[in-house]
Amino acid sequence: MSDVIFREAVRGDLPAVIALLADDVLGRTRDFTEVDAAYEKAFADIDADPRNQLIVADADGELLGCMQLTYIPGLGRHGAERQLIEAVRVRSDLRGRGLGRQMITWAVDQAKQRGCALVQLTTDKTRQDAHRFYVNLGFLPTHEGMKLPL
C-alpha cells in the first residue's frame, strides 16, 4: 500500500485505534468501541513513557492500522535492549493487501536503528494465519511468543 505513513498516535487518534482493536474476533470479546476513562488513562501512560510508542498507519488522515512498540532494557544478551510488538491491527477491509507486512517491516527497522538485539511479539494460539504471517517475516517460534534475532 502506498502513501501510508507510520507515526506516533495522538489523542485524537484514540477512537479510531479503539475501533481497530475491537474489530477483531478476539478484540470483540475484550475491547470496547467507545473511549472511556480506562482507555484515556492507558493512552496517557503510553504517551508519557519514552519506552512505549503507539504507532498508527495513516493514509491522508485515515487510520488503517496500529501497533504498540515497547523497548525493554535487559541484562541478558550482554545488556541488550529488545523491542516488543503488540496490539497489531489492520483495518478488516484492508487485510491481505500487504499493510501488515509494511507495519512489521517498519517496526523492525526502528528496532535496528535503535540498536536492539531482538524483536519479540506474542500472538494468540488461535491465530494460525498470524503465526504463518510472522514466520514468513522471519520470526521464529522459539517460545510461547515469537522472536526475531537481529
Side-chain angles (χ1 to χ4, degrees):
M1 298 188 75
S2 61
D3 299 329
V4 175
I5 63 163
F6 301 104
R7 62 172 176 79
E8 285 197 59
V10 296
R11 169 53 189 87
D13 296 324
L14 193 52
V17 170
I18 298 307
L20 285 167
L21 294 174
D23 183 23
D24 176 84
V25 171
L26 296 175
R28 282 185 202 95
T29 65
R30 59 187 181 203
D31 285 302
F32 304 102
T33 56
E34 295 199 21
V35 177
D36 63 9
Y39 285 128
E40 292 281 1
K41 180 181 182 324
F43 179 83
D45 289 346
I46 292 165
D47 193 46
D49 184 345
R51 293 194 177 276
N52 272 285
Q53 296 176 306
L54 181 59
I55 302 297
V56 294
D58 181 318
D60 297 320
E62 185 178 1
L63 268 74
L64 310 180
C66 66
M67 62 186 160
Q68 182 173 343
L69 307 180
T70 302
Y71 295 94
I72 306 167
L75 293 174
R77 296 180 184 258
H78 197 233
E81 185 174 63
R82 62 187 65 203
Q83 180 194 68
L84 175 67
I85 303 173
E86 288 292 326
V88 178
R89 296 292 191 283
V90 171
R91 209 172 69 193
S92 59
D93 63 323
L94 299 174
R95 293 180 190 145
R97 296 187 187 177
L99 179 58
R101 176 177 292 275
Q102 280 182 268
M103 290 170 60
I104 299 302
T105 299
W106 183 88
V108 170
D109 287 345
Q110 298 301 299
K112 288 177 182 177
Q113 289 174 23
R114 191 171 166 123
C116 293
L118 186 79
V119 173
Q120 63 189 39
L121 57 86
T122 60
T123 179
D124 191 276
K125 288 182 178 187
T126 64
R127 295 184 188 273
Q128 296 302 312
D129 290 341
H131 299 173
R132 284 187 293 277
F133 170 75
Y134 291 121
V135 167
N136 188 40
L137 289 171
F139 285 82
L140 304 172
T142 59
H143 295 69
E144 283 294 314
M146 301 175 112
K147 298 179 180 183
L148 175 66
L150 299 177

